[in-house]
């Protein structure tokens, strides 16, 4: 059964390009990018390589969301859940990297990071690598790509790509506006609402990157620039908030309780600063 929000802009016979036939050309580079990032992690699991793997998997998830109206609901949900789980596997190590980076700088001055936290990061990396290896990610990603491409190519209708792309971008933008209104109207600071804004903004940004060449670039250029600014601010808030939670769950790793308390207090102060910046930016949106 298809989603109720499927596109009804059925293309005339022979009209090109079609959304269905274009999917593989959009998805294949993303799959290749994700696999290249996995290979990089095996060779050198730097913070940047882990971050880029998560980005590649999130972009894949967003592309499958874009094509959701043309796909079977359950078949569409499975790849998106897979990409989320793989991103989470890489993210567990990335979270430790962010925590270490935040603790290493205090008022622009270097500070010592307890060896116990670096050891915890290496343990997380081993777990991430094991998860990605056991997932047989190459076959899994290629299978998802082949399965979705087959379903789209077998569909009895064809949808004009430009109209389909414009509809899906508008749907993502509506979702973003809704989350922005909810966050801006909150009576008190609501981190989850800001996190929802960040996720909705990413979806719009990725769709504009996918479909930009076939849309009116002037109409979306300002939106894309604003989204990048929003994502940077809200991303920094998300990083420090996740670090507070991670450190709170692992204070037992510190040999000195006072050191743990001082590190946690420092991160909470960083979080308050980021919260103020995020709220100011939100009110300007």
């Amino acid at each position: 059964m298809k989603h109720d929000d499927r596109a009804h802009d059925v293309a005339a016979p022979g009209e090109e390009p079609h959304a269905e036939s274009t999917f593989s050309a959009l998805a294949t580079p993303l799959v290749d990018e994700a696999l290249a990032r996995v290979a990089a992690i095996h060779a050198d699991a730097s913070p940047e390589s882990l971050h880029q793997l998560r980005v590649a998997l999130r972009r894949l998830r967003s592309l499958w969301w874009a094509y959701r109206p043309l796909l079977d609901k359950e078949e569409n949900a499975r790849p998106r859940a897979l990409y989320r789980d793989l991103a989470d596997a890489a993210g567990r190590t990335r979270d430790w990297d962010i925590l270490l980076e935040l603790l290493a700088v205090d008022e622009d001055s270097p500070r010592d990071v307890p060896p116990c936290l670096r050891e915890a990061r290496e343990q997380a990396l081993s777990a991430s690598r094991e998860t990605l290896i056991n997932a047989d990610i190459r076959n899994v990603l290629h299978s998802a790509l082949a399965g979705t491409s087959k379903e789209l190519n077998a569909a009895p209708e064809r949808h004009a790509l430009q109209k389909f792309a414009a509809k899906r971008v508008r749907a993502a933008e509506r979702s973003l506006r809704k989350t922005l209104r909810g966050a801006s109207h909150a009576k008190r600071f609501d981190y989850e609402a800001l996190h929802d804004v960040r996720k909705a903004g990413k979806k719009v940004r990725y769709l504009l990157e996918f479909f930009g060449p076939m849309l009116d670039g002037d109409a979306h250029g300002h939106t894309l620039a604003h989204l990048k600014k929003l994502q940077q601010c809200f991303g920094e808030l998300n990083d420090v908030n996740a670090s507070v939670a991670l450190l709170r769950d692992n204070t037992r790793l510190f040999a000195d309780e006072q050191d743990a308390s001082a590190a946690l207090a420092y991160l909470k102060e960083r979080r308050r600063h980021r919260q103020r910046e995020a709220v100011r930016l939100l009110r300007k949106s």
Side-chain angles (χ1 to χ4, degrees):
M1 179 179 295
K2 306 292 184 181
H3 281 268
D4 292 335
D5 64 344
R6 69 173 300 181
H8 293 286
D9 50 323
V10 179
E15 184 180 333
E16 291 291 346
H18 298 148
E20 289 82 357
S21 58
T22 307
F23 172 80
S24 182
L26 292 171
T28 298
L30 300 180
V31 169
D32 291 343
E33 172 73 7
L35 292 176
R37 296 301 178 184
V38 171
I41 288 173
H42 291 315
D44 176 23
S46 67
E48 183 61 19
S49 65
L50 288 160
H51 172 65
Q52 291 301 327
L53 173 59
R54 282 209 293 184
V55 170
L57 291 166
R58 286 168 178 165
R59 283 166 58 83
L60 277 168
R61 196 161 185 257
S62 294
L63 181 62
W64 257 256
W65 179 89
Y67 273 83
R68 186 176 65 174
L70 306 182
L71 296 167
D72 176 83
K73 182 177 180 179
E74 292 184 1
E75 289 299 322
N76 179 253
R78 274 194 286 269
R80 293 181 64 220
L82 167 69
Y83 303 144
R84 182 191 61 233
D85 291 344
L86 292 173
D88 287 346
R92 284 189 285 273
T93 303
R94 176 60 179 160
D95 288 345
W96 279 105
D97 287 327
I98 293 169
L99 172 60
L100 296 178
E101 290 168 8
L102 287 171
L103 289 179
V105 177
D106 186 355
E107 297 179 351
D108 299 323
S109 300
R111 61 185 288 173
D112 293 332
V113 175
C116 61
L117 298 185
R118 298 192 184 280
E119 293 171 4
R121 188 267 183 188
E122 293 306 310
Q123 292 174 3
L125 173 59
S126 296
S128 294
R129 280 174 164 163
E130 183 178 0
T131 298
L132 294 172
I133 291 172
N134 291 339
D136 191 14
I137 191 169
R138 176 174 294 276
N139 288 333
V140 167
L141 293 186
H142 280 304
S143 177
L145 172 58
T148 299
S149 297
K150 182 179 179 180
E151 181 182 353
L152 289 169
N153 291 329
E157 298 175 341
R158 289 292 179 268
H159 297 82
L161 177 61
Q162 187 172 15
K163 291 181 180 179
F164 173 79
K167 281 188 175 184
R168 297 308 286 155
V169 169
R170 286 197 299 270
E173 288 175 335
R174 284 195 301 271
S175 178
L176 174 59
R177 287 194 295 270
K178 181 178 179 180
T179 58
L180 278 169
R181 285 195 300 270
S184 61
H185 293 161
K187 294 182 179 179
R188 54 179 294 181
F189 179 82
D190 187 342
Y191 171 74
E192 289 302 324
L194 290 179
H195 188 54
D196 287 343
V197 169
R198 178 172 175 256
K199 292 190 293 183
K202 281 184 178 182
K203 188 173 292 181
V204 173
R205 180 181 174 183
Y206 293 154
L207 264 62
L208 288 176
E209 291 173 351
F210 297 149
F211 299 129
M214 60 208 71
L215 299 174
D216 183 352
D218 293 336
H220 295 285
H222 176 73
T223 299
L224 194 54
H226 182 60
L227 283 175
K228 289 180 180 179
K229 188 175 182 180
L230 269 179
Q231 282 186 288
Q232 180 177 354
C233 178
F234 290 1
E236 290 170 352
L237 172 59
N238 181 72
D239 286 348
V240 71
N241 190 68
S243 293
V244 168
L246 183 60
L247 185 58
R248 184 185 291 121
D249 290 341
N250 289 276
T251 53
R252 67 186 185 283
L253 297 177
F254 286 78
D256 190 320
E257 185 176 341
Q258 288 186 338
D259 289 343
S261 298
L264 192 57
Y266 167 69
L267 288 179
K268 287 181 177 179
E269 179 58 32
R270 290 284 296 266
R271 182 173 63 181
R272 281 191 289 271
H273 176 69
R274 294 301 182 193
Q275 286 174 350
R276 290 192 293 268
E277 289 184 346
V279 171
R280 281 197 296 267
L281 185 59
L282 181 64
R283 289 172 177 169
K284 294 179 181 179
S285 299

